[in-house]
Amino acid sequence: MHHLSALRYVLAAIALAGAALAARDDILIADFEGATYGAWKTTGEAFGPGPARGTLPGQMEVTGFEGKGLVNSFHKGDGTVGTLTSPPFRIERHFITFLVGGGMHAGETCINLLAGGKVVRTATGPNDRPGGSERLDWHSWDVRELAGSEAVIEIVDRATGGWGHINVDHIMQSDRGSGVVERVSTLAIDRDYLSFCVPAHAGNRAQVALAVGGRVVRHAAGADRETASWITWDVSRLKGSRAELRVSELPAADGACPLADSVSLGSEVKGALIVVDKLYRETYRPQFHFSPRTNWTNDPNGLVYYDGEYHLFFQHNPFGIDWGNMTWGHAISTDLLHWTQLEHALHPDKLGTMFSGSAVVDHGDTAGFRTGAEKTLVAIYTAAGGTSPESQGQPFTQCIACSNDRGRTWTKYDRNPVLGHIAGGNRDPKVIRHAPTAQWVMALYLDGEDFALFSSPDLKTWKKLCDVPMPGTSECPDFFELPVDGDARNTRWVFWGGNGNYRLGAFDGRRFLPETPPLRSRYGANDYAAQTYSDIPASDGRRIQITWMQGGRYPGMPFNQQMGFPRVLTLGTTPDGVRLFFNPVGEIETLRAETRTWRALALAPGANPLSALEGELWDIDALLEPKDAAEAGFVVRGARIAYDAKARELRTPGGSAPVRPEGGRIALRMLVDRSSIEVFAGGGRWLICFCFLPDPADRSLALYAEGGEAACAALRVSALRSTWPE
Ligand code: FRU
């Protein structure tokens, strides 16, 4: 007997009531047949001057709409953004039904129902990748529990990339649902497991989402499977909370909703289980890398160390699995390994959503924000004007916020912005303390390939120092000084950009004098917007960096994207000149569960000395000697990390690097997590970070040589423990 009888009873009762009542006439909300939007209000450009008459220039053929006109936000292409909002109306029927097509970007290309100022229902088109179709299909929201409320409909286009538009037509109130039907119900979570059965061939029009306190904590979209499949979520951590369950699906011909009707809460995992979704233990969840509990993340922000805690703020979408609603998420760690996610730190406001930035400890209380015993942490961030409905018409500006309680709560400065708009989408301030001149210095991305430095006595007033051109690079600067080969009397300043290109030079507190063109640091496909820690104590002295492993894929996961493993940056002399070196922080050694070592290991073609090992999490250190082999390397769960001796190239599924042997040897350090591999080659000179999606059943590890004999002068293979609590 399933525990969810109460919920099922309610759903069944609703279905019966719907069938039994004589259906009243439909009420048309809008058919978009006129030349203008009438009483509907637009912002931005995407919706054009009025409803479109079908397909727009440059668009695939739009079909499935009614009559001649429809809402089509492809006006001037995908690049335009805007909103279209209805006048208020009263909810008087069981369903709101409409035709929808275009992009599937939650929160970005969507139609929303707002009641009491809150989004209570939302829907997108079906497309999130190239190809697809511009057909509109029926979608219905079950709005029975909102009967009598005043509502508005808002159609949103905030996306500018592929499928960055939405099409809508013929919105009505009706007692009958048409097409995909979305049901919302509340659920008291008092059991460990929530199970449901996704019908065969459901596709991504079948979706189940569980939200607590307005936040989606679990989400699944149907796949195109041949057979129906059960999914069980572990919801034990949510016990005691009231959740909102949203189920959308295309009902069967007889009106049955097999997905919604299959939902049950219970103490056991259901029949033919395909996923047990235990938080932080999910199939593709990184086990020693940071990823947000749920939803989207991109850049690391505000990396600062204060009194025993490493703070990691991060670009987060609290409401969706894709980019949007930029808010600063927050996590802390005492060892750079085990992270605890805290409340969000910075929320969007009328100046914009919260884009990337940095944080510092204001040791001397230069800003005058300090109120108690704790030193003040100051965050310096970009308010991205125009990226939220409340900030339309605002430019991108730089703002500050402070915390006097160890980063637990944040107050924005009441005279923000502290640095007004300068150019384009200027953003991503990275602030450092320049001790010799006793001032704050900000590196800022301006526009195109232009960056600049600014200075301030108090973090509140800024003046420009100089421009820093970074050909081939944009976004997310960093700026720091490092000794060369560990010699404190011989230092260089590093000016770093979003794609990991950096210039070395001198800095006197006023001008950065570059000595090199932008140099390449990164050879892996998933490594972007890295930032280094502020305020690492001098006794430690490390320059610690965290990157965003941009672009990984995590199908079916409640989160999207992960950070790279924290790495230490140093400068070393090479035959090419002074270059950056990257190595994982030493703290990783504490995660080693079991270590095996070999010396002078011969590698013959066809043999795998590691065939007895299997697992998912590894820290591997090898001194590979290609000798006569054409190729030698590792195969990790199917991913080949291969050194091509003739081409002198290290190849991985996520990028290649021109690695030179030293004394006939290639030093390879590799960190392997469930969905990522980071390769530090040549003592950290060449960095290849990439994401992969191994077959969960493949736990193999191989060391191999091809086309001749090779060897491993030294090899250490350590199995790692997960950093998430059992
Ligand atoms: C880099 C970036 C930044 C911006 C942020 C927005 O990935 O585009 O320039 O501040 O992401 O999320």
Side-chain angles (χ1 to χ4, degrees):
M1 173 66 198
H2 318 311
H3 175 73
L4 197 68
S5 40
L7 173 76
R8 305 187 73 191
Y9 171 78
V10 171
L11 290 177
I14 286 173
L16 275 178
L21 276 181
R24 295 161 287 184
D25 286 345
D26 294 345
I27 304 171
L28 182 70
I29 297 178
D31 62 4
F32 303 107
E33 290 303 303
T36 68
Y37 287 118
W40 288 56
K41 296 252 165 343
T42 57
T43 63
E45 266 202 300
F47 292 92
R53 311 300 272 182
T55 309
L56 290 171
Q59 192 173 28
M60 285 193 283
E61 192 191 353
V62 178
T63 59
F65 56 101
E66 305 240 304
K68 296 206 163 55
L70 79 156
V71 175
N72 181 343
S73 79
F74 196 72
H75 183 70
K76 298 196 182 159
D78 274 332
T80 49
V81 295
T83 59
L84 174 64
T85 309
S86 77
F89 60 93
R90 196 156 298 285
I91 296 185
E92 294 171 77
R93 295 287 183 271
H94 297 336
F95 295 94
I96 293 180
T97 76
F98 49 89
L99 285 158
V100 63
M104 180 170 76
H105 304 292
E108 301 253 292
T109 56
C110 54
I111 169 168
N112 296 330
L113 181 71
L114 282 85
K118 265 183 41 202
V119 175
V120 289
R121 298 286 185 280
T122 180
T124 67
N127 303 288
D128 67 348
R129 60 202 57 185
S133 153
E134 288 278 14
R135 201 188 64 236
L136 281 73
D137 284 302
W138 286 105
H139 194 106
S140 304
W141 292 318
D142 188 329
V143 288
R144 276 171 260 215
E145 97 266 12
L146 299 167
S149 332
E150 192 174 86
V152 296
I153 286 174
E154 175 196 56
I155 306 175
V156 177
D157 177 355
R158 256 177 227 148
T160 53
W163 284 110
H165 66 275
I166 173 132
N167 303 332
V168 174
D169 197 18
H170 214 82
I171 310 175
M172 15 175 223
Q173 300 204 47
S174 176
D175 280 336
R176 286 164 305 251
S178 313
V180 168
V181 171
E182 181 181 330
R183 288 188 186 169
V184 179
S185 50
T186 30
L187 197 62
I189 301 200
D190 58 356
R191 292 290 187 277
D192 286 346
Y193 299 111
L194 181 90
S195 301
F196 51 89
C197 183
V198 184
H201 301 298
N204 56 21
R205 313 197 81 205
Q207 306 214 357
V208 183
L210 190 71
V212 176
R215 212 185 63 209
V216 175
V217 290
R218 297 283 191 287
H219 176 262
D224 245 343
R225 285 176 201 276
E226 293 293 318
T227 52
S229 41
W230 280 97
I231 294 184
T232 295
W233 287 333
D234 182 332
V235 291
S236 52
R237 281 164 186 256
L238 304 172
K239 260 196 201 162
S241 41
R242 284 188 81 70
E244 193 183 66
L245 181 72
R246 301 183 199 148
V247 184
S248 340
E249 70 189 302
L250 196 60
D254 63 356
C257 287
L259 177 58
D261 289 342
S262 73
V263 179
S264 73
L265 265 174
S267 308
E268 273 151 37
V269 165
K270 287 284 275 207
L273 162 83
I274 65 157
V275 181
V276 176
D277 206 1
K278 193 165 171 66
L279 190 62
Y280 289 123
R281 297 284 175 171
E282 302 93 340
T283 316
Y284 299 119
R285 172 77 77 172
Q287 294 297 293
F288 62 96
H289 287 76
F290 177 79
S291 58
R293 222 171 4 226
T294 58
N295 291 331
W296 170 268
T297 189
N298 50 296
D299 315 350
N301 293 153
L303 301 186
V304 64
Y305 176 87
Y306 176 63
D307 193 25
E309 292 176 337
Y310 295 93
H311 294 264
L312 164 57
F313 300 88
F314 51 93
Q315 289 283 284
H316 192 233
N317 182 354
F319 309 116
I321 201 79
D322 292 312
W323 187 90
N325 308 307
M326 281 301 134
T327 301
W328 276 33
H330 188 192
I332 51 166
S333 171
T334 54
D335 61 4
L336 294 166
L337 303 171
H338 301 83
W339 295 98
T340 306
Q341 192 170 331
L342 305 178
E343 293 298 305
H344 286 94
L346 301 176
H347 294 271
D349 59 31
K350 61 185 193 317
L351 294 178
T353 62
M354 303 289 102
F355 272 24
S356 287
S358 51
V360 294
V361 182
D362 188 2
H363 290 281
D365 194 25
T366 62
F369 289 147
R370 186 161 166 176
T371 54
E374 298 289 352
K375 288 180 181 164
T376 306
L377 303 183
V378 178
I380 309 94
Y381 62 92
T382 299
T387 57
S388 59
E390 327 72 86
S391 66
Q392 288 306 313
Q394 297 284 348
F396 278 30
T397 57
Q398 318 313 320
C399 298
I400 59 177
C402 70
S403 169
N404 283 307
D405 58 358
R406 309 173 63 81
R408 291 337 187 248
T409 58
W410 290 82
T411 309
K412 287 175 183 159
Y413 180 45
D414 54 12
R415 299 210 202 126
N416 277 335
V418 292
L419 183 57
H421 181 255
I422 298 164
N426 51 196
R427 60 182 176 276
D428 309 337
K430 172 66 164 125
V431 171
I432 59 163
R433 184 78 188 158
H434 187 251
T437 54
Q439 61 179 347
W440 300 103
V441 173
M442 177 198 292
L444 187 69
Y445 171 59
L446 297 181
D447 196 24
E449 302 172 330
D450 301 332
F451 294 75
L453 291 173
F454 299 80
S455 74
S456 171
D458 56 6
L459 298 161
K460 296 169 173 171
T461 51
W462 293 90
K463 70 168 201 278
K464 188 165 170 182
L465 294 176
C466 64
D467 286 306
V468 183
M470 287 283 284
T473 304
S474 63
E475 304 185 322
C476 300
D478 202 345
F479 189 49
F480 47 87
E481 187 181 21
L482 281 177
V484 179
D485 302 321
D487 178 359
R489 287 157 312 172
N490 179 22
T491 66
R492 297 284 186 289
W493 281 82
V494 179
F495 196 101
W496 171 279
N499 63 0
N501 286 357
Y502 63 98
R503 300 186 80 161
L504 300 176
F507 180 61
D508 60 1
R510 285 184 302 134
R511 236 147 259 291
F512 174 65
L513 297 174
E515 293 161 9
T516 70
L519 303 168
R520 181 173 180 186
S521 75
R522 143 205 106 147
Y523 295 86
N526 308 103
D527 188 350
Y528 192 78
Q531 181 179 112
T532 66
Y533 267 92
S534 183
D535 292 279
I536 297 293
S539 56
D540 176 323
R542 290 177 297 176
R543 177 60 49 183
I544 302 169
Q545 185 186 58
I546 295 183
T547 197
W548 165 36
M549 295 200 82
Q550 178 190 40
R553 294 204 310 117
Y554 308 85
M557 296 293 103
F559 69 95
N560 191 359
Q561 307 291 296
Q562 71 177 69
M563 296 303 163
F565 190 75
R567 55 203 189 197
V568 177
L569 274 55
T570 51
L571 283 178
T573 306
T574 78
D576 307 321
V578 175
R579 290 292 182 272
L580 273 176
F581 284 69
F582 303 81
N583 280 288
V585 296
E587 282 85 342
I588 192 157
E589 291 173 23
T590 64
L591 296 180
R592 291 181 190 160
E594 201 188 329
T595 294
R596 299 190 196 206
T597 57
W598 292 261
R599 294 224 152 259
L601 182 64
L603 299 179
N608 172 19
L610 304 181
S611 61
L613 298 185
E614 57 167 41
E616 295 179 302
L617 315 179
W618 302 111
D619 177 357
I620 300 174
D621 209 353
L623 260 186
L624 202 63
E625 292 177 310
K627 294 198 166 166
D628 308 322
E631 184 181 305
F634 292 84
V635 187
V636 183
R637 307 182 72 194
R640 192 174 267 253
I641 292 103
Y643 189 68
D644 180 331
K646 198 149 158 246
R648 294 188 156 205
E649 191 172 57
L650 184 65
R651 299 199 179 126
T652 79
S656 306
V659 177
R660 266 192 309 263
E662 262 180 65
R665 293 170 171 179
I666 308 290
L668 278 186
R669 175 85 182 271
M670 296 190 297
L671 302 187
V672 180
D673 202 336
R674 279 196 182 159
S675 44
S676 65
I677 300 184
E678 284 148 300
V679 185
F680 307 82
R685 165 77 199 280
W686 292 280
L687 177 62
I688 308 181
C689 301
F690 65 97
C691 294
F692 76 141
L693 261 186
D695 175 349
D698 180 350
R699 296 160 54 85
S700 64
L701 183 62
L703 175 58
Y704 74 96
E706 269 173 20
E709 306 247 320
C712 237
L715 174 65
R716 176 184 57 76
V717 178
S718 306
L720 298 179
R721 276 186 293 265
S722 169
T723 56
W724 300 115
E726 275 302 333

